[in-house]
């Protein structure tokens, strides 16, 4: 399973990295990416100052980033409060509070100091306090009366609740192991006693039942037997469920394991406890009731002391390395497939599954192309080489733990953004498809109605005499004042007697003055065809107030009306589809261009402040943007073997060709490109004046104190 948040040891390792990188930087600005993620822009004083972006996610992580995703246009109220108190202040210290997953960023000194506290346990929190740890503002208020905690505005931050770091003592380790063994022994005795009591009760119950069955009546005996059967079924169900739990359930019933006992003593997470057990040559999952020898206890204590020595080295200035455990995409896809069959995943797990599926597809494509480097799915990160990391199929080692965190989360975040983008595109295209299907269904329905009207009109015209005879018979019966129910009964009797006119009448709709006839159209030569004779007849509704010709004309008129409506529908469908396609294309373009994109954060090169280019022979050419930069280029960046290029025009900038190979002269093509760049940035370009530039060596150039723009003395 992919690691979601940092442990206590991870916090200690990241703090050691940040102390070496961001101390002394000033807070230039604060941005909020969402309700829980904030980015601190730290910069060093000066125009060439280093810029570092520190990401803080409440309850999850904190590290520097090289990629920043789009931020909202307007900052939140909490961000505005942070800017008000922290902007332009210098970061003086970064520290972990005790052994908890809490980091304190100290901005400023003395009474003007402010503390930005990041909590990474439970739901997480971001708290801003003054120099006395009085809460000024916070992301989430929390109160626990049972523990006496109150993290709210205008209240002191509960520093007394922080767990301090204390080295493990050998006596404490022995006491904990002995207590675990003794507790297991007491549980076994209590279990044996309870089992014995239950057995005696069962025996007594059986005797009582035996005595009572002889004297009881049949009903009580049946009730007792059914009760015993129900008890047996419950016991069988409990046994079956216990068997399904496997080794984990058996271990939990037997007592705590060794890793749990060590984790209670070393409060840095279960991964560190497992590492200490493996370093001592012990199995982390072995039962604590198995008494350890004196040598094994000393080895376990030595492993814990080695970890504590690593923590002490971080306090003395060491930088934690970064280790990322990964698995190939194919293996991760198989694991996610098995998990999806047995349990329902969370949204994060669904995103991770989509990431793994994309990575698996990408790795298959690269394998088909002959690329041997398979895509990896990151699983875990740690600030030190844990013993259990040797089981990882792939282990990436980075120079610092901060780089490992950035690599781990940036890859996952990038894949999440890609999955969200693909989902938005799929929804936009699905809306277009629904419009196409709906409009097509409407046109098809109108076409079917027009065809049906034409068929009904044709059948009436083919059976004119029969239709007139049926309508005349019904009208004659109604003219005599016959009841409608009696008329239906009369038609049924005539149909059974073989009357052909009555056989044409299917049903009566006298409330609408209409009847439904069964009509068929046998073509010439089909009178003796068995298939044509068995062909089902078509139901045609006719109006009793009209003649057969008039009914046929009415159906023809309906067909023409439906055909005209179909043409209008198709025209409207074409316009609606065109508008929907245009809207979908605009949405897709907006998603591809303006969706959440990654902005690479890097330190700009020294020459990027000037106008610069790289020549065809890979020579750097720089020129000033104004008079100050012209003077700066000549005084600071003009070296002995460089070439100075200028033009006899007002506003022409000082241009320098940086010669990276003093043993070779600058090629003519580079000189030509530098001269063209110098002339293009002068007034000659705007005034369309044809002129040329000149160049000199370093020893031919001398500068005066009042060097004017566009002039050089030689």
């Amino acid at each position: 399973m992919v690691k979601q948040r940092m442990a206590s040891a991870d916090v200690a390792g990241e703090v050691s990295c940040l102390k070496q990188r961001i101390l002394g930087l000033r807070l230039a600005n604060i941005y909020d990416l969402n309700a829980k993620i904030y980015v601190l822009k730290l910069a060093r004083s000066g125009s060439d100052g280093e810029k570092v972006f520190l990401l803080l996610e409440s309850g999850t992580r904190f590290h520097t980033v090289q990629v920043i995703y789009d931020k909202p246009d307007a900052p939140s109220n909490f961000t505005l409060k942070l800017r008000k108190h922290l902007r332009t202040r210098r970061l003086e210290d970064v520290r972990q509070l005790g052994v908890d997953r809490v980091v304190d960023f100290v901005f400023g000194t003395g009474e003007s100091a402010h503390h930005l506290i990041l909590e990474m346990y439970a739901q997480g929190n971001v708290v801003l306090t003054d120099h006395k740890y009085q809460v000024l503002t916070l992301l989430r208020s929390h109160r626990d009366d049972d523990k006496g905690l109150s993290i709210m505005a205008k209240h002191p931050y509960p520093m007394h609740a922080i767990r301090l770091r204390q080295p493990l003592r050998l006596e404490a380790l022995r006491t904990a192991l002995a207590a675990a063994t003794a507790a297991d022994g007491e549980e076994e005795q209590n279990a044996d006693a309870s089992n014995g009591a239950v057995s005696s009760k069962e025996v007594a119950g059986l005797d009582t039942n035996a005595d009572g069955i002889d004297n009881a009546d049949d009903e009580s005996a049946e009730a007792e037997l059914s009760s015993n059967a129900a008890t047996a079924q419950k016991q069988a169900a409990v046994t079956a469920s216990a068997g399904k739990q496997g080794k984990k359930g058996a271990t939990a019933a037997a007592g705590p394991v060794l890793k749990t006992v060590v984790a209670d003593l070393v409060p840095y997470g279960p991964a560190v406890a497992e590492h200490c057990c493996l370093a001592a040559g012990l199995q982390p999952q072995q039962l604590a009731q198995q008494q350890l020898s004196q040598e094994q206890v000393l080895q376990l204590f030595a492993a814990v002391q080695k970890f504590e020595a690593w923590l002490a080295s971080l306090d003395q200035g060491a930088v934690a390395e970064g280790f990322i455990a990964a698995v190939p995409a194919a293996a991760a896809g198989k694991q996610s497939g098995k998990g999806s069959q047995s349990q329902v995943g969370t949204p994060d797990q669904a995103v991770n599954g989509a990431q793994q599926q994309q990575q698996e597809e990408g790795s298959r494509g690269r394998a088909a192309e002959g690329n041997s480097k398979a895509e990896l799915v990151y699983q875990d990160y740690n600030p030190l080489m844990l013993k259990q990391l040797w089981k990882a199929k792939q282990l990436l080692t980075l120079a610092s733990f901060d780089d490992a965190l950035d690599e781990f989360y940036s890859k996952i975040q990038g894949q999440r953004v890609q999955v969200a983008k693909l989902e938005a595109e799929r929804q936009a295209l699905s809306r277009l498809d629904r419009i196409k299907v709906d409009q097509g269904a409407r046109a098809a329905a109108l076409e079917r109605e027009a065809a049906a009207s034409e068929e009904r009109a044709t059948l009436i015209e083919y059976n004119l005499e029969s239709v007139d005879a049926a309508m005349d018979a019904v009208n004659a019966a109604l003219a005599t004042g016959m009841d409608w129910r009696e008329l239906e009964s009369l038609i049924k009797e005539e149909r059974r007697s073989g009357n052909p006119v009555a056989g044409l009448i299917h049903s009566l709709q006298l409330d609408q003055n209409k009847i439904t006839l069964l009509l068929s159209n046998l073509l010439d030569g089909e009178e003796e065809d068995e298939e044509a004779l068995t062909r089902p007849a078509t139901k045609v509704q006719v109006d009793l107030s009209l003649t057969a010709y008039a009914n046929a004309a009415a159906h023809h008129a309906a067909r023409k009306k439906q055909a005209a409506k179909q043409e209008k529908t198709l025209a409207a469908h074409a316009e609606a589809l065109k508008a929907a396609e245009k809207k979908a294309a605009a949405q897709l373009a907006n998603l591809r261009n303006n969706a959440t994109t990654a902005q690479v954060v890097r330190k700009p090169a020294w020459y990027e402040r000037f106008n610069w280019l790289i020549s065809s022979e890979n020579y750097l050419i720089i020129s000033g943007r104004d008079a100050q930069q012209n003077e700066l280029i000549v005084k600071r960046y003009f070296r002995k073997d460089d070439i100075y290029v200028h033009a006899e025009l007002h506003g022409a900038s000082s241009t320098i060709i940086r010669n990276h190979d003093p043993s070779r002269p600058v090629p003519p093509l580079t000189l030509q490109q530098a001269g063209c760049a110098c002339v293009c940035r002068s007034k000659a370009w705007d005034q369309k004046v044809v002129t040329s530039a000149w160049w000199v060596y370093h020893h031919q150039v001398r500068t005066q104190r009042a060097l004017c723009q566009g002039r050089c003395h030689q």
Side-chain angles (χ1 to χ4, degrees), residues 257-264 270-271 273-274 277 283-286:
V257 296
L258 181 61
K259 183 177 71 172
T260 304
V261 177
V262 177
D264 294 337
E274 183 178 357
C277 295
Q283 293 298 327
Q285 299 298 332
Q286 73 180 42

Side-chain angles (χ1 to χ4, degrees), residues 29-35 37-38 69-81 83 87:
N29 211 342
I30 301 177
Y31 310 99
D32 57 302
L33 302 185
N34 54 44
I37 301 179
Y38 298 87
Y69 291 88
D70 290 344
K71 51 186 178 293
D73 296 333
S76 62
N77 293 331
F78 182 69
T79 303
L80 293 177
K81 292 180 181 179
R83 290 180 180 180
R87 186 184 284 180

Side-chain angles (χ1 to χ4, degrees), residues 18-87:
L18 294 184
K19 283 184 177 180
Q20 300 293 329
R21 185 171 184 183
I22 65 175
L23 288 186
L25 302 183
R26 290 189 180 273
L27 181 62
N29 211 342
I30 301 177
Y31 310 99
D32 57 302
L33 302 185
N34 54 44
K36 299 185 67 175
I37 301 179
Y38 298 87
V39 176
L40 278 61
K41 181 181 179 181
L42 303 168
R44 200 175 301 277
S45 302
S47 58
D48 293 336
E50 178 185 8
K51 293 181 177 61
V52 178
F53 290 85
L54 178 64
L55 184 142
L56 308 179
E57 183 174 358
S58 174
T60 304
R61 53 174 172 144
F62 70 104
H63 56 87
T64 62
V65 293
Q66 299 296 327
V67 173
I68 296 181
Y69 291 88
D70 290 344
K71 51 186 178 293
D73 296 333
S76 62
N77 293 331
F78 182 69
T79 303
L80 293 177
K81 292 180 181 179
L82 294 180
R83 290 180 180 180
K84 174 183 176 182
H85 293 282
L86 299 180
R87 186 184 284 180

Side-chain angles (χ1 to χ4, degrees), residues 6-21:
M6 299 175 67
S8 182
D10 302 333
V11 174
E14 178 61 13
V15 167
S16 68
C17 298
L18 294 184
K19 283 184 177 180
Q20 300 293 329
R21 185 171 184 183

Side-chain angles (χ1 to χ4, degrees), residues 179-198:
T181 304
D184 292 336
E186 292 178 359
E187 290 179 359
E188 290 180 357
Q189 293 178 0
N190 294 334
D192 294 339
S194 61
N195 291 335
V198 171

Side-chain angles (χ1 to χ4, degrees), residues 97-139:
L97 298 182
V99 296
D100 292 330
R101 288 174 289 174
V102 182
V103 184
D104 183 9
F105 298 91
V106 183
F107 292 90
T109 58
E111 295 183 356
S112 63
H114 288 76
H115 299 265
L116 184 63
I117 300 175
L118 174 65
E119 298 178 353
M120 286 170 288
Y121 57 87
Q123 298 181 13
N125 206 353
V126 179
V127 184
L128 178 65
T129 69
D130 59 7
H131 67 286
K132 294 182 179 179
Y133 286 97
Q134 191 78 10
V135 177
L136 300 177
T137 183
L138 72 168
L139 189 62

Side-chain angles (χ1 to χ4, degrees), residues 405-572:
L405 288 173
D406 184 27
E407 172 68 18
F408 185 90
Y409 282 106
S410 61
K411 185 172 184 179
I412 291 180
Q413 183 65 22
Q415 292 169 345
R416 285 180 178 174
V417 170
Q418 186 66 20
V419 169
K421 183 177 178 181
L422 293 176
E423 180 64 19
E425 292 181 358
R426 186 191 64 79
Q427 291 180 359
L429 294 176
S430 65
R431 285 193 293 267
L432 180 61
D433 293 338
R434 286 197 299 269
I435 293 175
K436 290 181 179 179
V437 172
D438 181 61
Q439 297 292 339
R442 292 182 182 181
L446 290 174
E447 185 177 1
R448 288 194 300 270
E449 291 178 2
S453 297
E454 184 177 5
E455 182 183 4
R456 287 192 292 266
T458 303
L459 289 174
I460 292 175
E461 292 174 349
Y462 187 80
N463 300 275
L464 285 176
E465 297 179 357
S466 300
V467 172
D468 283 332
M471 289 192 299
D472 291 341
V474 173
N475 286 328
L478 292 175
T480 61
M482 182 180 293
D483 186 71
W484 291 358
R485 288 190 292 269
E486 293 179 0
L487 180 59
E488 290 180 356
S489 301
L490 178 61
I491 292 174
K492 291 180 181 179
E493 291 178 1
E494 292 294 332
R495 187 186 300 134
R496 284 195 294 268
S497 62
N499 189 339
V501 176
L504 293 177
I505 301 175
H506 176 267
S507 61
L508 302 178
Q509 297 87 34
L510 298 179
D511 55 338
Q512 303 176 11
N513 198 27
K514 294 181 180 180
I515 62 174
T516 301
L517 304 178
L518 295 175
L519 302 179
S520 59
N521 186 4
L522 296 178
L523 301 177
D524 295 338
E526 292 184 346
E527 290 79 1
E528 298 180 358
D529 189 358
E530 183 178 356
E531 182 180 357
L533 294 175
T534 58
R535 185 186 304 161
T538 303
K539 299 177 183 179
V540 179
Q541 192 178 56
V542 295
D543 192 344
L544 294 176
S545 62
L546 302 177
T547 63
Y549 275 116
N551 278 284
H555 285 291
H556 279 301
R559 180 193 62 79
K560 294 178 181 179
K561 184 178 179 180
Q562 290 163 354
K565 188 176 180 180
Q566 181 184 4
E567 292 179 359
K568 295 180 180 179
T569 302
L570 291 175

